[in-house]
Amino acid sequence: MPKELIPVSEAKKLIEEHIEANSPIQFHLNEAAGLILAEDLFSLSDLPGFNQSSMDGYALNFEEWQKHQELLIDGESQAGLADLKPLKPQSVRRIFTGAAVPPGADTVVMQEKTSISNGKLSITDSQLVKGHNVRFQGSEAKANEMALEKNSYLSPAAIGFIAGLGINQILAYPQPSVSIILTGNELQSPGKPLQLGQVYDANSFALKAALNQIGITKINILSSEDNLEILSSVLKSALNQSDLVLLTGGVSVGDYDFVVQATKENKVEQIFHKIKQKPGKPLFFGKKGKKYIFGLPGNPASVLNCFYEYVYPAIGILNNSKKDLIKIQAPLSKSQKKASGLTQFLKGYFDGKMAHDLKAQESFRLSSFAKANCLIKLDENQTEFTEGQLVEIHLLP
């Protein structure tokens, strides 16, 4: 093996060491879903701010009911009603879900478990206890207490909870902006006729879909001919626009592979180039300040393999989600052989019990990747793997 090749584990470690999370910024709550909270959030007030009914029914004083059994109906309490009169002795009040429980009442009985005769209410709920069906003031959150911790994931439920606290602006880690640079004179857009020697661009579509799947929408797609001057200019533009730049193709050592030279022209610090892996051996990673550059191979399956194994966890650092592929041990469905000295990633399907390698493992073929739900990792120094042997598999998002 040439000395410049590094193991997969070292490449991943170098990425972790060199990438920093994006600086937090203020977001309106409507724009924060899927992000990571960058501050501790404290409740502005009690939630709920008053004793609230969780049912349509009747509000009562539990001890009064135990003494008198039958209680007079004294008006009603609707949700949003501000003028709330205290409950009269030996009475109940008709109440609706979300309405304030009147002073003097401490329990709500469901309307289905009551009967009314001559203006008096009888209760048929043998399970009724004091406080039943009442959301007490501050039971969800108390004023000035921590409601949500820093680094919490802003799920739909978290967004709703924060809104319920009356907060509409939060500090969060932004998603990175991404530029995808396609290199190659042979690329043609789908939908247009192919000339001899041309192939359809699959990489930008696959990468954009993979980025969209994890919530990244600020994506700029650029292209360059196989020309050093043009590629250097396109890369310069991408670095000015985006936090993360993904180049596809032109990263090997052919006469028309200019990615590495273009990074040097733009004063990008090379962290590594070439990994002991298959597919995707010529992978490049570099940085310029807080801008990060991945030079991905040109073959579509290699592009996606490198995206999931290296770019995906890099994005998890940038947006502070710390996301990476879920890794589990699973038995192989059949034996495998490989060369020593390279970690191999097979497109696979995990059926919940076993890991099955799919046909069409060549790096240019996406038909098998289209059916894959995992990558099967065959370790660098081992050459033979037996049927049923436990191996590490990486579940795709």
Side-chain angles (χ1 to χ4, degrees):
M1 287 289 173
K3 288 184 179 179
E4 66 267 23
L5 270 70
I6 63 171
V8 166
S9 58
E10 185 179 342
K12 295 191 173 190
K13 184 179 178 183
L14 286 169
I15 290 170
E16 291 177 5
E17 289 174 353
H18 284 89
I19 295 183
E20 300 175 40
N22 284 333
S23 298
I25 60 174
Q26 286 286 336
F27 285 90
H28 190 278
L29 199 56
N30 281 332
E31 302 171 332
L35 301 180
I36 302 297
L37 188 65
E39 60 182 339
D40 292 330
L41 280 187
F42 295 85
S43 180
L44 302 177
S45 58
D46 289 343
L47 181 68
F50 53 87
N51 293 341
Q52 187 183 57
S53 176
S54 64
M55 293 285 176
D56 290 345
Y58 295 88
L60 56 98
N61 181 283
F62 188 76
E63 291 183 3
E64 286 271 299
W65 169 66
Q66 287 192 313
K67 288 179 183 177
H68 303 286
Q69 295 300 303
E70 289 188 334
L71 301 170
L72 292 169
I73 298 173
D74 172 29
E76 67 178 31
S77 180
Q78 301 175 17
L81 187 67
D83 184 18
L84 196 64
K85 296 177 181 177
L87 188 66
K88 293 178 181 178
Q90 298 182 38
S91 67
V92 297
R93 185 167 299 168
R94 182 80 169 102
I95 197 167
F96 300 94
T97 303
V101 175
D106 55 23
T107 305
V108 172
V109 60
M110 294 173 61
Q111 61 187 18
E112 294 88 347
K113 297 187 176 181
T114 63
S115 61
I116 300 172
S117 178
N118 298 322
K120 291 186 176 181
L121 184 89
S122 296
I123 296 173
T124 58
D125 185 359
S126 61
Q127 304 298 316
L128 189 66
V129 294
K130 185 176 180 178
H132 213 179
N133 301 322
V134 177
R135 305 165 183 157
F136 287 99
Q137 180 174 342
S139 57
E140 178 79 334
K142 295 190 181 299
N144 301 317
E145 285 188 354
M146 187 184 294
L148 207 59
E149 295 179 344
K150 180 180 178 180
N151 294 326
S152 295
Y153 173 69
L154 294 172
S155 65
I159 295 293
F161 177 50
I162 295 168
L165 297 172
I167 297 170
N168 70 346
Q169 296 280 339
I170 55 100
L171 192 68
Y173 295 95
Q175 293 280 25
S177 54
V178 181
S179 281
I180 299 170
I181 302 177
L182 304 173
T183 70
N185 299 332
E186 74 279 12
L187 297 177
Q188 176 63 289
S189 298
K192 295 182 179 180
L194 285 178
Q195 303 299 319
L196 182 64
Q198 289 185 323
V199 296
Y200 285 124
D201 160 39
N203 289 335
S204 72
F205 288 85
L207 287 173
K208 187 173 186 292
L211 292 165
N212 288 162
Q213 187 180 32
I214 56 177
I216 295 176
T217 56
K218 292 181 180 178
I219 303 169
N220 186 32
I221 298 177
L222 306 168
S223 61
S224 172
E225 298 174 15
D226 288 324
N227 175 287
L228 177 58
E229 186 177 351
I230 294 173
L231 179 56
S232 296
S233 176
V234 173
L235 178 56
K236 180 179 180 181
S237 176
L239 288 168
N240 287 333
Q241 296 179 60
S242 303
D243 304 311
L244 179 64
V245 179
L246 308 178
L247 298 104
T248 68
V251 74
S252 193
V253 292
D255 291 347
Y256 296 96
D257 292 329
F258 296 117
V259 165
V260 176
Q261 290 173 263
T263 62
K264 291 177 181 176
E265 292 288 325
N266 281 277
K267 296 181 169 54
V268 171
E269 177 190 357
Q270 177 178 311
I271 307 302
F272 64 75
H273 181 210
K274 298 181 184 177
I275 303 179
K276 295 179 181 179
Q277 70 173 20
K278 180 182 179 181
K281 183 169 67 174
L283 179 69
F284 173 94
F285 172 60
K287 61 184 288 191
K288 184 176 182 179
K290 290 192 71 174
K291 306 288 180 115
Y292 305 96
I293 302 92
F294 284 91
L296 308 175
N299 283 323
S302 295
V303 167
L304 280 182
N305 181 79
C306 289
F307 176 85
Y308 287 121
E309 290 294 332
Y310 303 98
V311 181
Y312 183 77
I315 291 170
I317 300 171
L318 284 169
N319 62 19
N320 205 42
S321 67
K322 299 179 175 61
K323 279 189 177 179
D324 198 352
L325 299 181
I326 295 172
K327 300 173 178 64
I328 63 172
Q329 296 285 316
L332 285 170
S333 65
K334 65 179 184 180
S335 60
Q336 298 288 337
K337 290 184 178 182
K338 58 173 276 296
S340 178
L342 290 176
T343 298
Q344 187 166 0
F345 294 100
L346 299 176
K347 293 162 278 188
Y349 185 82
F350 178 58
D351 63 6
K353 294 181 180 179
M354 303 194 80
H356 305 266
D357 69 299
L358 299 172
K359 295 179 180 178
Q361 289 291 337
E362 295 91 340
S363 61
F364 70 93
R365 301 180 72 167
L366 279 179
S367 57
S368 52
F369 225 134
K371 302 170 186 175
N373 65 2
C374 71
L375 295 170
I376 301 170
K377 181 185 177 187
L378 302 181
D379 287 338
E380 179 181 324
N381 295 318
Q382 193 170 343
T383 58
E384 294 189 12
F385 301 80
T386 58
E387 180 182 338
Q389 180 178 337
L390 285 178
V391 294
E392 185 175 284
I393 67 169
H394 301 173
L395 303 180
L396 298 176

